[in-house]
Amino acid sequence: MSIRKILTYPEKSLAQPSVRVEHIDDEVRTLIEDMGETMFDAPGVGLAAPQIGVNQRIIVYDSHAADPERGENENPVKEFTALINPEIINASGSIVSEGEACLSVEDYSANVKRYEHITVKAQDIDGNDIEFEASGILAVIMQHEIDHLDGILFIDRISALKRTMYKKKISKKKAS
Ligand code: NI
């Protein structure tokens, strides 16, 4: 296992759609272990493969992200769930995800409008087809991570004015 480098905006590959995983082999399993380790090291609650430069449809997330005492626990359990080829097959309701942030978008957070309830279809690490419903924070994490697989960052879902301001800030920072 190893911790991989997380790419950040405006890295071009983050804006590229990822390809489906056809075979879950050792390479994919190692990638998933590395993604889990990299996510907890960052630390973050979710990570998509394109964020570490692999444009394949794989995401991982903190299995306990929605636990109520998660933030207060000094020694949290580090368990993650991996989803392969995840898709949202049903979505309803609307919530504002407050202060949404991303390991690939430095020094920024914003409120983002998201679906409140979703149904996700995917394969697990053993290649079994799975389908489940998610609400609230888990639904937000799924939408955020699946967006990465389509080359979409949360800053693509905020107002054009806010996005422009963020882009200016980043280009200034990179130039200095
Ligand atoms: Ni992200």
Side-chain angles (χ1 to χ4, degrees), residues 46-48 51 100-105 144-145 148 152-154:
L47 190 77
Q51 292 183 272
E100 195 168 316
C102 176
L103 297 171
S104 295
V105 178
H144 178 114
E145 301 310 331
H148 275 299
I152 297 167
L153 298 175
F154 80 91

Side-chain angles (χ1 to χ4, degrees), residues 126-142:
D126 300 312
N128 303 311
D129 290 325
I130 51 170
E131 203 177 295
F132 61 93
E133 285 171 18
S135 295
I137 184 168
L138 272 187
V140 169
I141 295 172
M142 301 294 144

Side-chain angles (χ1 to χ4, degrees), residues 9-10 105-110 154-155 161-176:
Y9 175 86
V105 178
E106 293 174 293
D107 307 322
Y108 192 64
S109 65
F154 80 91
I155 49 171
L161 179 65
K162 282 187 186 161
R163 186 163 51 246
T164 305
M165 284 167 62
Y166 176 71
K167 287 182 179 178
K168 272 189 192 153
K169 178 175 146 176
I170 277 296
S171 48
K172 253 190 215 158
K173 194 185 156 196
K174 305 259 162 176
S176 64

Side-chain angles (χ1 to χ4, degrees), residues 38-144:
T38 303
M39 175 184 74
F40 284 124
D41 176 70
V45 290
L47 190 77
Q51 292 183 272
I52 55 166
V54 180
N55 281 95
Q56 294 189 28
R57 302 189 78 85
I58 304 170
I59 66 171
V60 297
Y61 60 95
D62 181 341
S63 312
H64 300 281
D67 292 1
E69 330 77 66
R70 186 60 164 163
E72 293 147 38
N73 197 331
E74 281 175 20
N75 233 331
V77 204
K78 290 180 180 173
E79 285 172 345
F80 67 88
T81 305
L83 297 179
I84 296 162
N85 303 319
E87 325 169 34
I88 294 168
I89 54 169
N90 220 330
S92 66
S94 166
I95 48 169
V96 174
S97 144
E98 286 181 22
E100 195 168 316
C102 176
L103 297 171
S104 295
V105 178
E106 293 174 293
D107 307 322
Y108 192 64
S109 65
N111 293 352
V112 182
K113 203 176 155 208
R114 298 287 189 186
Y115 290 112
E116 189 175 8
H117 309 284
I118 56 171
T119 307
V120 177
K121 189 181 141 186
Q123 276 126 37
D124 66 14
I125 194 163
D126 300 312
N128 303 311
D129 290 325
I130 51 170
E131 203 177 295
F132 61 93
E133 285 171 18
S135 295
I137 184 168
L138 272 187
V140 169
I141 295 172
M142 301 294 144
Q143 291 168 81
H144 178 114

